[in-house]
Each structure stands twice: as C-alpha cells, then as structure tokens.
Amino acid sequence: MRLHGFMILSAIVLLSACSPKNAKVMEDKKETTEVQEEAVKPQKSETPKAKPAFSAAGIKRTPCYGKCKVYEVNFYAKGYATYEGKSNVKKIGKYRAELGMEQARLILEKAQEAGYFEAENEYPADGKTIPDFPYTITYVQLGEERKEIKNNYDAPQAILDFEAYLDEVASSLDWKEEKGQ
C-alpha cells in the first residue's frame, strides 16, 4: 500500500509541476535567468566611427545658349583653391588662391545647414531639364566620399543659397594666375 501511495503522490507532484500556472512560473524564471546571464556577459564596446574630415568642395557653371558665365572653382581643405574661367567671365584661364582654415570649415558648415548631404543628386528631381539652361554642379567631399548635385533648375532655396555662398567665397579670394599657361 505504501508503494501505491508513493506512486499517487509522485503522479500528483509531476502533474502539478506541468500545470499551465507552474509552466508560466518556470518560463518567467528561465527568462529572468537569461536576462541576468545577458547582463553578466561582457558588452562589446563599439567605438563610434570618426566622420571623415572635409576634403574639398567646388562649383562649376556650364554653358548655355546665351551668355552664361562658364567657370569652375575648387576649394581644398589643404589651404588653397583653384579657378578656371572659360567664357563670359572677367578672368579667363587658370588661377590659384590661398584658402583659410576658417573658410574651409564654413564651407562644410554651410553645406550641412543646407541639408546638402540629404538633398537630391539632380534638379529637377523628375529629370525633366530645360536644355538651354545651364547646369550648376556643386560637390562636397568628406574623406573619400563625394556628394555631387547637378542643378538645371528647381533646386530648393537652401541649395541655391549654398551655390551663392561658394560663389561669394570665390569672389573674396585673392586669385593669382598660374604660370605656364
């Protein structure tokens, strides 16, 4: 009789251990243990990747069917700028000027303010350009990454303001004609 009572008691314990209520308690304990084990594991320290530094920026104005100014200016973080005037501008030919560190920093700042890196790559965004309008092509380079925007027309005002800022910086520089042309 004792053996029979022991078997009944064992069956009750086993059945109650498998009841949905106890299964939930056991599941909660398992989750708690897993969370605790996860917290004890050494965390990988992810070093934030440094953003590439400003390398260069530029503006290029292309020809049109009229008397559009055609030139290209490049600004380099290394402390200089280059200019090439092609037509309908006062300075025809190649020139070079010094570019201050503050000027280079401000070019990047103005690009960021304009949302340059989030802007479309070409305007109008639908690709329906006007053939006799010139393009204004700008770029900003951070390290090896280069973002370029081709604007035929319909660019947002912030991008137009950035183009004007690059022209303003270019006109403020003391250009020296490059020798050997």
Side-chain angles (χ1 to χ4, degrees):
M1 185 75 170
R2 275 189 157 180
L3 183 60
H4 182 53
F6 177 74
M7 289 177 68
I8 291 174
L9 183 59
S10 294
I12 291 172
V13 169
L14 283 172
L15 288 174
S16 66
C18 295
S19 74
K21 180 179 175 185
N22 287 337
K24 174 72 174 138
V25 169
M26 291 182 75
E27 188 176 300
D28 289 344
K29 283 184 182 179
K30 180 181 175 190
E31 286 177 11
T32 303
T33 303
E34 287 173 354
V35 169
Q36 289 171 341
E37 287 173 358
E38 190 67 32
V40 173
K41 286 183 183 175
Q43 298 294 318
K44 289 182 182 177
S45 64
E46 290 189 25
T47 307
K49 291 184 180 180
K51 292 183 179 177
F54 170 73
S55 301
I59 184 166
K60 178 180 182 178
R61 304 242 184 215
T62 65
C64 64
Y65 291 127
K67 295 217 176 236
C68 297
K69 294 178 178 185
V70 182
Y71 61 92
E72 183 173 351
V73 183
N74 295 288
F75 306 95
Y76 300 97
K78 292 181 179 181
Y80 69 97
T82 60
Y83 167 90
E84 184 176 1
K86 297 182 181 177
S87 64
N88 302 314
V89 291
K90 289 181 184 177
K91 293 183 186 295
I92 300 289
K94 294 182 179 184
Y95 294 78
R96 187 179 172 106
E98 287 186 24
L99 181 71
M101 296 303 285
E102 181 66 8
Q103 289 170 309
R105 186 190 67 74
L106 284 173
I107 289 171
L108 176 59
E109 186 177 297
K110 294 291 185 181
Q112 290 169 329
E113 286 174 10
Y116 192 86
F117 302 100
E118 295 77 36
E120 297 291 332
N121 293 333
E122 188 166 348
Y123 292 99
D126 65 6
K128 295 179 181 174
T129 61
I130 298 176
D132 52 343
F133 277 19
Y135 273 95
T136 300
I137 303 166
T138 57
Y139 77 91
V140 176
Q141 187 167 335
L142 302 175
E144 297 297 316
E145 281 188 54
R146 180 180 163 124
K147 164 76 175 188
E148 182 177 281
I149 296 177
K150 292 174 69 177
N151 176 22
N152 180 251
Y153 77 95
D154 202 30
Q157 187 61 48
I159 298 301
L160 297 175
D161 291 345
F162 181 65
E163 293 172 359
Y165 180 73
L166 293 177
D167 282 335
E168 182 182 310
V169 172
S171 67
S172 75
L173 297 177
D174 184 22
W175 296 103
K176 307 283 186 213
E177 191 168 14
E178 289 188 342
K179 307 287 185 222
Q181 288 190 39

PDB file of all heavy atoms in Angstrom, residues 137-164:
ATOM      1  N   ILE A 137      26.860  72.772 -61.034  1.00  0.00           N
ATOM      2  CA  ILE A 137      27.242  71.494 -60.439  1.00  0.00           C
ATOM      3  C   ILE A 137      28.110  71.799 -59.217  1.00  0.00           C
ATOM      4  O   ILE A 137      29.140  72.474 -59.336  1.00  0.00           O
ATOM      5  CB  ILE A 137      28.012  70.613 -61.439  1.00  0.00           C
ATOM      6  CG1 ILE A 137      27.161  70.394 -62.696  1.00  0.00           C
ATOM      7  CG2 ILE A 137      28.419  69.293 -60.796  1.00  0.00           C
ATOM      8  CD1 ILE A 137      27.914  69.839 -63.881  1.00  0.00           C
ATOM      9  N   THR A 138      27.661  71.331 -58.084  1.00  0.00           N
ATOM     10  CA  THR A 138      28.433  71.515 -56.856  1.00  0.00           C
ATOM     11  C   THR A 138      28.805  70.153 -56.303  1.00  0.00           C
ATOM     12  O   THR A 138      28.160  69.153 -56.621  1.00  0.00           O
ATOM     13  CB  THR A 138      27.638  72.294 -55.792  1.00  0.00           C
ATOM     14  OG1 THR A 138      26.413  71.607 -55.530  1.00  0.00           O
ATOM     15  CG2 THR A 138      27.348  73.710 -56.238  1.00  0.00           C
ATOM     16  N   TYR A 139      29.841  70.146 -55.486  1.00  0.00           N
ATOM     17  CA  TYR A 139      30.198  68.907 -54.792  1.00  0.00           C
ATOM     18  C   TYR A 139      30.818  69.258 -53.449  1.00  0.00           C
ATOM     19  O   TYR A 139      31.352  70.349 -53.258  1.00  0.00           O
ATOM     20  CB  TYR A 139      31.149  68.034 -55.620  1.00  0.00           C
ATOM     21  CG  TYR A 139      32.572  68.506 -55.636  1.00  0.00           C
ATOM     22  CD1 TYR A 139      33.495  68.052 -54.677  1.00  0.00           C
ATOM     23  CD2 TYR A 139      33.019  69.414 -56.592  1.00  0.00           C
ATOM     24  CE1 TYR A 139      34.812  68.494 -54.693  1.00  0.00           C
ATOM     25  CE2 TYR A 139      34.327  69.852 -56.607  1.00  0.00           C
ATOM     26  CZ  TYR A 139      35.216  69.399 -55.653  1.00  0.00           C
ATOM     27  OH  TYR A 139      36.511  69.838 -55.663  1.00  0.00           O
ATOM     28  N   VAL A 140      30.693  68.313 -52.530  1.00  0.00           N
ATOM     29  CA  VAL A 140      31.377  68.383 -51.248  1.00  0.00           C
ATOM     30  C   VAL A 140      31.975  67.006 -51.019  1.00  0.00           C
ATOM     31  O   VAL A 140      31.301  65.992 -51.202  1.00  0.00           O
ATOM     32  CB  VAL A 140      30.418  68.762 -50.091  1.00  0.00           C
ATOM     33  CG1 VAL A 140      31.145  68.729 -48.759  1.00  0.00           C
ATOM     34  CG2 VAL A 140      29.794  70.128 -50.339  1.00  0.00           C
ATOM     35  N   GLN A 141      33.234  66.990 -50.640  1.00  0.00           N
ATOM     36  CA  GLN A 141      33.925  65.724 -50.419  1.00  0.00           C
ATOM     37  C   GLN A 141      34.384  65.638 -48.969  1.00  0.00           C
ATOM     38  O   GLN A 141      35.046  66.529 -48.465  1.00  0.00           O
ATOM     39  CB  GLN A 141      35.121  65.608 -51.355  1.00  0.00           C
ATOM     40  CG  GLN A 141      35.788  64.253 -51.291  1.00  0.00           C
ATOM     41  CD  GLN A 141      36.763  64.047 -52.438  1.00  0.00           C
ATOM     42  OE1 GLN A 141      36.636  64.649 -53.491  1.00  0.00           O
ATOM     43  NE2 GLN A 141      37.726  63.183 -52.220  1.00  0.00           N
ATOM     44  N   LEU A 142      33.990  64.528 -48.322  1.00  0.00           N
ATOM     45  CA  LEU A 142      34.418  64.223 -46.962  1.00  0.00           C
ATOM     46  C   LEU A 142      35.256  62.952 -47.048  1.00  0.00           C
ATOM     47  O   LEU A 142      34.719  61.887 -47.328  1.00  0.00           O
ATOM     48  CB  LEU A 142      33.224  64.000 -46.039  1.00  0.00           C
ATOM     49  CG  LEU A 142      32.223  65.149 -45.924  1.00  0.00           C
ATOM     50  CD1 LEU A 142      31.045  64.742 -45.067  1.00  0.00           C
ATOM     51  CD2 LEU A 142      32.888  66.385 -45.375  1.00  0.00           C
ATOM     52  N   GLY A 143      36.541  63.063 -46.831  1.00  0.00           N
ATOM     53  CA  GLY A 143      37.406  61.894 -46.999  1.00  0.00           C
ATOM     54  C   GLY A 143      37.310  61.406 -48.433  1.00  0.00           C
ATOM     55  O   GLY A 143      37.478  62.167 -49.371  1.00  0.00           O
ATOM     56  N   GLU A 144      36.965  60.127 -48.594  1.00  0.00           N
ATOM     57  CA  GLU A 144      36.811  59.549 -49.924  1.00  0.00           C
ATOM     58  C   GLU A 144      35.384  59.676 -50.467  1.00  0.00           C
ATOM     59  O   GLU A 144      35.134  59.413 -51.630  1.00  0.00           O
ATOM     60  CB  GLU A 144      37.226  58.070 -49.915  1.00  0.00           C
ATOM     61  CG  GLU A 144      38.697  57.848 -49.580  1.00  0.00           C
ATOM     62  CD  GLU A 144      39.634  58.463 -50.607  1.00  0.00           C
ATOM     63  OE1 GLU A 144      39.397  58.320 -51.816  1.00  0.00           O
ATOM     64  OE2 GLU A 144      40.605  59.119 -50.171  1.00  0.00           O
ATOM     65  N   GLU A 145      34.441  60.068 -49.597  1.00  0.00           N
ATOM     66  CA  GLU A 145      33.039  60.195 -50.018  1.00  0.00           C
ATOM     67  C   GLU A 145      32.794  61.538 -50.672  1.00  0.00           C
ATOM     68  O   GLU A 145      33.152  62.577 -50.126  1.00  0.00           O
ATOM     69  CB  GLU A 145      32.105  60.054 -48.811  1.00  0.00           C
ATOM     70  CG  GLU A 145      31.893  58.623 -48.394  1.00  0.00           C
ATOM     71  CD  GLU A 145      30.811  58.526 -47.341  1.00  0.00           C
ATOM     72  OE1 GLU A 145      29.691  59.024 -47.577  1.00  0.00           O
ATOM     73  OE2 GLU A 145      31.107  57.966 -46.284  1.00  0.00           O
ATOM     74  N   ARG A 146      32.162  61.500 -51.838  1.00  0.00           N
ATOM     75  CA  ARG A 146      31.886  62.728 -52.584  1.00  0.00           C
ATOM     76  C   ARG A 146      30.401  62.779 -52.920  1.00  0.00           C
ATOM     77  O   ARG A 146      29.850  61.841 -53.504  1.00  0.00           O
ATOM     78  CB  ARG A 146      32.723  62.745 -53.857  1.00  0.00           C
ATOM     79  CG  ARG A 146      32.509  63.973 -54.709  1.00  0.00           C
ATOM     80  CD  ARG A 146      33.386  63.890 -55.943  1.00  0.00           C
ATOM     81  NE  ARG A 146      32.951  64.818 -56.956  1.00  0.00           N
ATOM     82  CZ  ARG A 146      33.728  65.736 -57.504  1.00  0.00           C
ATOM     83  NH1 ARG A 146      34.985  65.825 -57.142  1.00  0.00           N
ATOM     84  NH2 ARG A 146      33.263  66.527 -58.438  1.00  0.00           N
ATOM     85  N   LYS A 147      29.776  63.881 -52.570  1.00  0.00           N
ATOM     86  CA  LYS A 147      28.362  64.115 -52.903  1.00  0.00           C
ATOM     87  C   LYS A 147      28.332  65.225 -53.937  1.00  0.00           C
ATOM     88  O   LYS A 147      28.948  66.270 -53.746  1.00  0.00           O
ATOM     89  CB  LYS A 147      27.595  64.519 -51.636  1.00  0.00           C
ATOM     90  CG  LYS A 147      26.233  65.144 -51.866  1.00  0.00           C
ATOM     91  CD  LYS A 147      25.190  64.148 -52.234  1.00  0.00           C
ATOM     92  CE  LYS A 147      23.822  64.852 -52.312  1.00  0.00           C
ATOM     93  NZ  LYS A 147      22.747  63.956 -52.487  1.00  0.00           N
ATOM     94  N   GLU A 148      27.631  64.990 -55.041  1.00  0.00           N
ATOM     95  CA  GLU A 148      27.537  65.976 -56.117  1.00  0.00           C
ATOM     96  C   GLU A 148      26.071  66.261 -56.412  1.00  0.00           C
ATOM     97  O   GLU A 148      25.249  65.344 -56.418  1.00  0.00           O
ATOM     98  CB  GLU A 148      28.240  65.437 -57.364  1.00  0.00           C
ATOM     99  CG  GLU A 148      28.230  66.401 -58.520  1.00  0.00           C
ATOM    100  CD  GLU A 148      28.999  65.870 -59.717  1.00  0.00           C
ATOM    101  OE1 GLU A 148      30.240  65.949 -59.705  1.00  0.00           O
ATOM    102  OE2 GLU A 148      28.347  65.360 -60.649  1.00  0.00           O
ATOM    103  N   ILE A 149      25.777  67.525 -56.667  1.00  0.00           N
ATOM    104  CA  ILE A 149      24.416  67.920 -57.049  1.00  0.00           C
ATOM    105  C   ILE A 149      24.492  68.674 -58.367  1.00  0.00           C
ATOM    106  O   ILE A 149      25.250  69.645 -58.498  1.00  0.00           O
ATOM    107  CB  ILE A 149      23.753  68.807 -55.972  1.00  0.00           C
ATOM    108  CG1 ILE A 149      23.586  68.016 -54.668  1.00  0.00           C
ATOM    109  CG2 ILE A 149      22.395  69.318 -56.470  1.00  0.00           C
ATOM    110  CD1 ILE A 149      23.005  68.833 -53.518  1.00  0.00           C
ATOM    111  N   LYS A 150      23.696  68.205 -59.340  1.00  0.00           N
ATOM    112  CA  LYS A 150      23.576  68.877 -60.636  1.00  0.00           C
ATOM    113  C   LYS A 150      22.244  69.619 -60.640  1.00  0.00           C
ATOM    114  O   LYS A 150      21.194  69.001 -60.541  1.00  0.00           O
ATOM    115  CB  LYS A 150      23.616  67.850 -61.769  1.00  0.00           C
ATOM    116  CG  LYS A 150      24.955  67.164 -61.934  1.00  0.00           C
ATOM    117  CD  LYS A 150      24.905  66.063 -62.975  1.00  0.00           C
ATOM    118  CE  LYS A 150      24.735  66.661 -64.341  1.00  0.00           C
ATOM    119  NZ  LYS A 150      24.737  65.643 -65.426  1.00  0.00           N
ATOM    120  N   ASN A 151      22.312  70.937 -60.782  1.00  0.00           N
ATOM    121  CA  ASN A 151      21.109  71.758 -60.745  1.00  0.00           C
ATOM    122  C   ASN A 151      20.909  72.457 -62.081  1.00  0.00           C
ATOM    123  O   ASN A 151      21.667  73.349 -62.437  1.00  0.00           O
ATOM    124  CB  ASN A 151      21.227  72.787 -59.608  1.00  0.00           C
ATOM    125  CG  ASN A 151      20.048  73.734 -59.567  1.00  0.00           C
ATOM    126  OD1 ASN A 151      18.977  73.436 -60.068  1.00  0.00           O
ATOM    127  ND2 ASN A 151      20.263  74.894 -58.988  1.00  0.00           N
ATOM    128  N   ASN A 152      19.863  72.039 -62.786  1.00  0.00           N
ATOM    129  CA  ASN A 152      19.482  72.696 -64.032  1.00  0.00           C
ATOM    130  C   ASN A 152      18.480  73.810 -63.695  1.00  0.00           C
ATOM    131  O   ASN A 152      18.585  74.920 -64.196  1.00  0.00           O
ATOM    132  CB  ASN A 152      18.880  71.671 -64.991  1.00  0.00           C
ATOM    133  CG  ASN A 152      18.447  72.241 -66.318  1.00  0.00           C
ATOM    134  OD1 ASN A 152      17.253  72.346 -66.577  1.00  0.00           O
ATOM    135  ND2 ASN A 152      19.407  72.603 -67.163  1.00  0.00           N
ATOM    136  N   TYR A 153      17.531  73.512 -62.846  1.00  0.00           N
ATOM    137  CA  TYR A 153      16.598  74.476 -62.256  1.00  0.00           C
ATOM    138  C   TYR A 153      15.787  73.733 -61.211  1.00  0.00           C
ATOM    139  O   TYR A 153      15.871  72.518 -61.103  1.00  0.00           O
ATOM    140  CB  TYR A 153      15.688  75.121 -63.323  1.00  0.00           C
ATOM    141  CG  TYR A 153      14.556  74.228 -63.800  1.00  0.00           C
ATOM    142  CD1 TYR A 153      13.284  74.313 -63.242  1.00  0.00           C
ATOM    143  CD2 TYR A 153      14.765  73.283 -64.799  1.00  0.00           C
ATOM    144  CE1 TYR A 153      12.259  73.477 -63.662  1.00  0.00           C
ATOM    145  CE2 TYR A 153      13.752  72.446 -65.223  1.00  0.00           C
ATOM    146  CZ  TYR A 153      12.500  72.549 -64.653  1.00  0.00           C
ATOM    147  OH  TYR A 153      11.495  71.725 -65.066  1.00  0.00           O
ATOM    148  N   ASP A 154      15.048  74.452 -60.416  1.00  0.00           N
ATOM    149  CA  ASP A 154      14.096  73.897 -59.441  1.00  0.00           C
ATOM    150  C   ASP A 154      14.757  73.289 -58.193  1.00  0.00           C
ATOM    151  O   ASP A 154      14.147  72.489 -57.501  1.00  0.00           O
ATOM    152  CB  ASP A 154      13.195  72.847 -60.117  1.00  0.00           C
ATOM    153  CG  ASP A 154      11.891  72.645 -59.355  1.00  0.00           C
ATOM    154  OD1 ASP A 154      11.418  73.606 -58.725  1.00  0.00           O
ATOM    155  OD2 ASP A 154      11.359  71.517 -59.366  1.00  0.00           O
ATOM    156  N   ALA A 155      15.981  73.688 -57.902  1.00  0.00           N
ATOM    157  CA  ALA A 155      16.608  73.223 -56.653  1.00  0.00           C
ATOM    158  C   ALA A 155      15.984  73.975 -55.484  1.00  0.00           C
ATOM    159  O   ALA A 155      15.518  75.114 -55.639  1.00  0.00           O
ATOM    160  CB  ALA A 155      18.112  73.471 -56.690  1.00  0.00           C
ATOM    161  N   PRO A 156      15.970  73.379 -54.316  1.00  0.00           N
ATOM    162  CA  PRO A 156      15.457  74.080 -53.133  1.00  0.00           C
ATOM    163  C   PRO A 156      16.289  75.329 -52.837  1.00  0.00           C
ATOM    164  O   PRO A 156      17.479  75.393 -53.182  1.00  0.00           O
ATOM    165  CB  PRO A 156      15.617  73.058 -51.999  1.00  0.00           C
ATOM    166  CG  PRO A 156      15.925  71.760 -52.638  1.00  0.00           C
ATOM    167  CD  PRO A 156      16.428  72.032 -54.014  1.00  0.00           C
ATOM    168  N   GLN A 157      15.669  76.293 -52.189  1.00  0.00           N
ATOM    169  CA  GLN A 157      16.347  77.547 -51.883  1.00  0.00           C
ATOM    170  C   GLN A 157      17.635  77.324 -51.095  1.00  0.00           C
ATOM    171  O   GLN A 157      18.630  78.018 -51.312  1.00  0.00           O
ATOM    172  CB  GLN A 157      15.411  78.499 -51.117  1.00  0.00           C
ATOM    173  CG  GLN A 157      15.990  79.891 -50.924  1.00  0.00           C
ATOM    174  CD  GLN A 157      16.276  80.600 -52.248  1.00  0.00           C
ATOM    175  OE1 GLN A 157      15.435  80.633 -53.147  1.00  0.00           O
ATOM    176  NE2 GLN A 157      17.470  81.175 -52.382  1.00  0.00           N
ATOM    177  N   ALA A 158      17.645  76.362 -50.198  1.00  0.00           N
ATOM    178  CA  ALA A 158      18.844  76.098 -49.397  1.00  0.00           C
ATOM    179  C   ALA A 158      20.030  75.699 -50.286  1.00  0.00           C
ATOM    180  O   ALA A 158      21.174  76.100 -50.027  1.00  0.00           O
ATOM    181  CB  ALA A 158      18.567  75.009 -48.365  1.00  0.00           C
ATOM    182  N   ILE A 159      19.774  74.951 -51.347  1.00  0.00           N
ATOM    183  CA  ILE A 159      20.848  74.555 -52.268  1.00  0.00           C
ATOM    184  C   ILE A 159      21.285  75.766 -53.100  1.00  0.00           C
ATOM    185  O   ILE A 159      22.484  75.976 -53.322  1.00  0.00           O
ATOM    186  CB  ILE A 159      20.408  73.374 -53.173  1.00  0.00           C
ATOM    187  CG1 ILE A 159      20.100  72.139 -52.312  1.00  0.00           C
ATOM    188  CG2 ILE A 159      21.453  73.067 -54.240  1.00  0.00           C
ATOM    189  CD1 ILE A 159      21.249  71.630 -51.460  1.00  0.00           C
ATOM    190  N   LEU A 160      20.332  76.586 -53.511  1.00  0.00           N
ATOM    191  CA  LEU A 160      20.680  77.818 -54.246  1.00  0.00           C
ATOM    192  C   LEU A 160      21.527  78.736 -53.362  1.00  0.00           C
ATOM    193  O   LEU A 160      22.489  79.348 -53.839  1.00  0.00           O
ATOM    194  CB  LEU A 160      19.411  78.541 -54.701  1.00  0.00           C
ATOM    195  CG  LEU A 160      18.513  77.790 -55.695  1.00  0.00           C
ATOM    196  CD1 LEU A 160      17.240  78.582 -55.962  1.00  0.00           C
ATOM    197  CD2 LEU A 160      19.256  77.493 -56.982  1.00  0.00           C
ATOM    198  N   ASP A 161      21.186  78.822 -52.091  1.00  0.00           N
ATOM    199  CA  ASP A 161      21.959  79.644 -51.153  1.00  0.00           C
ATOM    200  C   ASP A 161      23.376  79.097 -50.992  1.00  0.00           C
ATOM    201  O   ASP A 161      24.334  79.864 -50.894  1.00  0.00           O
ATOM    202  CB  ASP A 161      21.271  79.707 -49.784  1.00  0.00           C
ATOM    203  CG  ASP A 161      19.961  80.496 -49.816  1.00  0.00           C
ATOM    204  OD1 ASP A 161      19.714  81.231 -50.801  1.00  0.00           O
ATOM    205  OD2 ASP A 161      19.181  80.357 -48.852  1.00  0.00           O
ATOM    206  N   PHE A 162      23.519  77.770 -50.982  1.00  0.00           N
ATOM    207  CA  PHE A 162      24.849  77.167 -50.877  1.00  0.00           C
ATOM    208  C   PHE A 162      25.672  77.486 -52.125  1.00  0.00           C
ATOM    209  O   PHE A 162      26.852  77.832 -52.030  1.00  0.00           O
ATOM    210  CB  PHE A 162      24.750  75.656 -50.652  1.00  0.00           C
ATOM    211  CG  PHE A 162      26.078  74.977 -50.521  1.00  0.00           C
ATOM    212  CD1 PHE A 162      26.920  75.250 -49.450  1.00  0.00           C
ATOM    213  CD2 PHE A 162      26.507  74.077 -51.482  1.00  0.00           C
ATOM    214  CE1 PHE A 162      28.169  74.643 -49.338  1.00  0.00           C
ATOM    215  CE2 PHE A 162      27.753  73.454 -51.368  1.00  0.00           C
ATOM    216  CZ  PHE A 162      28.581  73.743 -50.297  1.00  0.00           C
ATOM    217  N   GLU A 163      25.053  77.392 -53.302  1.00  0.00           N
ATOM    218  CA  GLU A 163      25.744  77.755 -54.545  1.00  0.00           C
ATOM    219  C   GLU A 163      26.225  79.209 -54.476  1.00  0.00           C
ATOM    220  O   GLU A 163      27.381  79.511 -54.809  1.00  0.00           O
ATOM    221  CB  GLU A 163      24.805  77.594 -55.748  1.00  0.00           C
ATOM    222  CG  GLU A 163      24.409  76.176 -56.059  1.00  0.00           C
ATOM    223  CD  GLU A 163      23.327  76.069 -57.127  1.00  0.00           C
ATOM    224  OE1 GLU A 163      22.844  77.113 -57.640  1.00  0.00           O
ATOM    225  OE2 GLU A 163      22.959  74.923 -57.450  1.00  0.00           O
ATOM    226  N   ALA A 164      25.337  80.094 -54.024  1.00  0.00           N
ATOM    227  CA  ALA A 164      25.691  81.516 -53.912  1.00  0.00           C
ATOM    228  C   ALA A 164      26.822  81.720 -52.905  1.00  0.00           C
ATOM    229  O   ALA A 164      27.713  82.555 -53.121  1.00  0.00           O
ATOM    230  CB  ALA A 164      24.461  82.329 -53.508  1.00  0.00           C
TER     231      ALA A 164
END
